[in-house]
Amino acid sequence: MPQFRAAWLLPISQPPIRDGWVRTERGRITAFGPHRRGQRRPPGEIDLGAVAILPGLVNAHTHLELSWMRGRIPQGGDFPGWIRAVIALQRAGNEAGDLATQAAIGEAIAEARRTGTVLFGDISNTLASVAKLIETDSAAVVFRELIGFKAERARQLAVDALASLPRIPSAGLIRGSLAAHAPYSVSPALFKEIRHALEHDPFARCSVHLGESEAETEFLRNGSGPWRSLLEDLGAWDASWRAPACDPVEYLDRMGFITDRLLIVHGVQFGLRELARIKSSGATLVTCPRSNRLTGAGTPQVQAFYASGARIAIGTDSLASVPDLNMFNELAELRRLAPDVPAGKLLESATLKGAGALGFEALFGSIEAGKSASIIAVAVPRIVPDVAEYLVNGMSRADISNLEVS
């Protein structure tokens, strides 16, 4: 029954505790609290000293199967151009079952775990990450992503995707679900099929890239621009489709796709109206600011995200678009973009809000009795006026330790 003591304990669900302790047994948290003056030290207590203990982090959006692309795609000037570079590299590069691809996935998971991540929201076109997630005892929702703009293909795409999900263990720490790629790559018919497929699963979460680029807004307003050009170049354009002449959130909302179990990823182009609609639906907005900058998508309005009252989670996106999967570096970028958002809110997004978005809030995201003992320790100065603020300004791998407890 290990008990850890530290200069700081951050339960997330309540304010930080100075000179705190947490007790675990059989992989679960059993108790925690502040150390009292004169209190007898329990036998075997491990005093970690100048560290902050907090729940492991949640990377709510990444693409582990693209990890082999690390460093191979230059920073984008515009997002559609960056996507063309990804497609070109995919056609010239590795296949999902390739040993190099599998090795890259394994290395990416290991890197993320070494920097404090314990739960992933992974977008996959091939389910190539599942074996490595299981092998490393990681927790994840693996979203089988669907792409198809031609309406006549919708039914078969959904049937095939659902047939692939039983390969993912239905119980335990790996859960499978479906995701729609984006409104410029998914037909209304396919959105409908995905929605219907998930209605029968009481757990099922879903994900969609939305509001990521100006080109997406142009496409939905009038059916023109870089996305239409790309669809035509790929032979994927559907001449029967008509532009809805509305914003991305309204478009999906008209189809009944935006619910409290949806993860809306990016939202770079969202204004107050879109954010209000997301809040009222209960959906989660997942922000990936470093990726948005490096792909040329733009700068998310992080201050507005939090001011809207919507649930905000955080993702790194893939190693094709960011240099690392260190969630503390993502937090540092959020702090740079949103200096007025309380540090505790940012940490909550990287833990409890992400776990809730993925349906794992009963196990992860906060230090509470009964939850998983997947906790981490981060080195902090012995005297720090605001421990939460310190933690959201970037932590290196050397600062972070996983407290492996059983």
Side-chain angles (χ1 to χ4, degrees):
M1 189 183 293
Q3 177 166 310
F4 298 97
R5 181 177 173 183
W8 288 96
L9 182 74
L10 281 79
I12 301 298
S13 55
Q14 60 180 263
I17 298 170
R18 189 189 294 271
D19 194 8
W21 57 268
V22 58
R23 188 179 306 135
T24 68
E25 184 175 3
R26 297 180 181 178
R28 296 297 179 100
I29 295 164
T30 58
F32 69 95
H35 178 76
R36 307 293 185 188
R37 185 180 294 275
Q39 181 179 356
R40 177 180 294 182
R41 180 173 174 176
E45 180 183 71
I46 302 168
D47 190 345
L48 300 175
V51 303
I53 295 176
L54 62 156
L57 306 184
V58 180
N59 188 339
H61 181 80
T62 189
H63 299 252
L64 292 170
E65 68 187 34
L66 301 184
S67 297
W68 65 273
M69 294 186 179
R70 186 180 204 160
R72 300 192 187 195
I73 304 174
Q75 183 168 341
D78 69 280
F79 185 61
W82 187 86
I83 288 292
R84 283 183 178 270
V86 171
I87 292 171
L89 187 57
Q90 284 176 321
R91 290 180 169 181
N94 298 24
E95 295 296 329
D98 185 75
L99 290 177
T101 301
Q102 285 294 310
I105 292 170
E107 290 165 7
I109 294 170
E111 173 186 312
R113 290 179 62 116
R114 284 194 298 265
T115 51
T117 295
V118 299
L119 173 61
F120 300 84
D122 183 42
I123 306 296
S124 179
N125 300 116
T126 64
L127 301 182
S129 61
V130 173
K132 288 295 182 182
L133 287 164
I134 294 171
E135 183 181 307
T136 55
D137 293 321
S138 297
V141 178
V142 180
F143 294 98
R144 174 70 164 80
E145 185 178 62
L146 296 177
I147 298 174
F149 199 71
K150 291 188 175 181
E152 66 267 21
R153 299 183 59 218
R155 179 61 181 162
Q156 193 58 51
L157 285 170
V159 167
D160 292 345
L162 282 172
S164 72
L165 290 183
R167 290 189 284 141
I168 300 175
S170 58
L173 297 180
I174 309 293
R175 299 172 179 172
S177 193
L178 301 182
H181 177 251
Y184 53 81
S185 58
V186 173
S187 68
L190 185 51
F191 275 117
K192 180 180 178 180
E193 292 289 348
I194 295 169
R195 179 169 58 83
H196 285 171
L198 298 180
E199 282 176 349
H200 305 293
D201 184 341
F203 157 76
R205 284 354 189 222
C206 191
S207 175
V208 63
H209 301 83
L210 201 67
E212 190 169 5
S213 66
E214 291 180 356
E216 180 185 318
T217 303
E218 178 185 4
F219 181 76
L220 293 178
R221 290 292 182 191
N222 54 40
S224 64
W227 290 129
R228 176 163 180 168
S229 297
L230 180 59
L231 288 170
E232 291 174 337
D233 291 347
L234 295 174
W237 172 250
D238 187 336
S240 69
W241 184 82
R242 295 293 178 266
C246 65
D247 66 66
V249 175
E250 182 176 346
Y251 179 50
L252 265 61
D253 207 17
R254 289 177 185 177
M255 292 185 275
F257 203 77
I258 296 185
T259 72
D260 60 358
R261 293 193 290 173
L262 180 66
L263 283 72
I264 297 173
V265 183
H266 297 305
V268 177
Q269 308 304 319
F270 291 167
L272 296 180
R273 184 173 66 173
E274 292 86 27
L275 293 171
R277 204 163 195 151
I278 291 169
K279 180 185 184 299
S280 66
S281 72
T284 301
L285 177 56
V286 184
T287 184
C288 310
R290 289 189 299 159
S291 177
N292 296 151
R293 173 166 49 85
L294 292 168
T295 62
T299 303
Q301 300 303 304
V302 179
Q303 296 264 165
F305 290 176
Y306 282 90
S308 74
R311 179 163 61 182
I312 310 298
I314 303 170
T316 59
D317 219 325
S318 77
L319 285 173
S321 61
V322 289
D324 59 66
L325 299 185
N326 185 341
M327 282 284 289
F328 283 104
N329 288 339
E330 209 68 44
L331 282 164
E333 179 69 1
L334 285 166
R335 167 47 81 232
R336 185 183 72 83
L337 294 174
D340 296 330
V341 174
K345 289 288 186 184
L346 297 179
L347 287 173
E348 187 181 41
S349 289
T351 52
L352 191 56
K353 296 298 185 184
L358 293 171
F360 270 102
E361 65 272 26
L363 278 178
F364 300 104
S366 59
I367 293 177
E368 298 179 65
K371 287 199 172 185
S372 169
S374 297
I375 52 180
I376 62 174
V378 184
V380 297
R382 289 203 169 270
I383 299 176
V384 57
D386 186 334
V387 66
E389 186 62 40
Y390 182 84
L391 291 170
V392 300
N393 279 278
M395 297 291 127
S396 71
R397 174 180 162 186
D399 297 320
I400 306 161
S401 301
N402 293 299
L403 300 180
E404 297 294 340
V405 293
S406 59

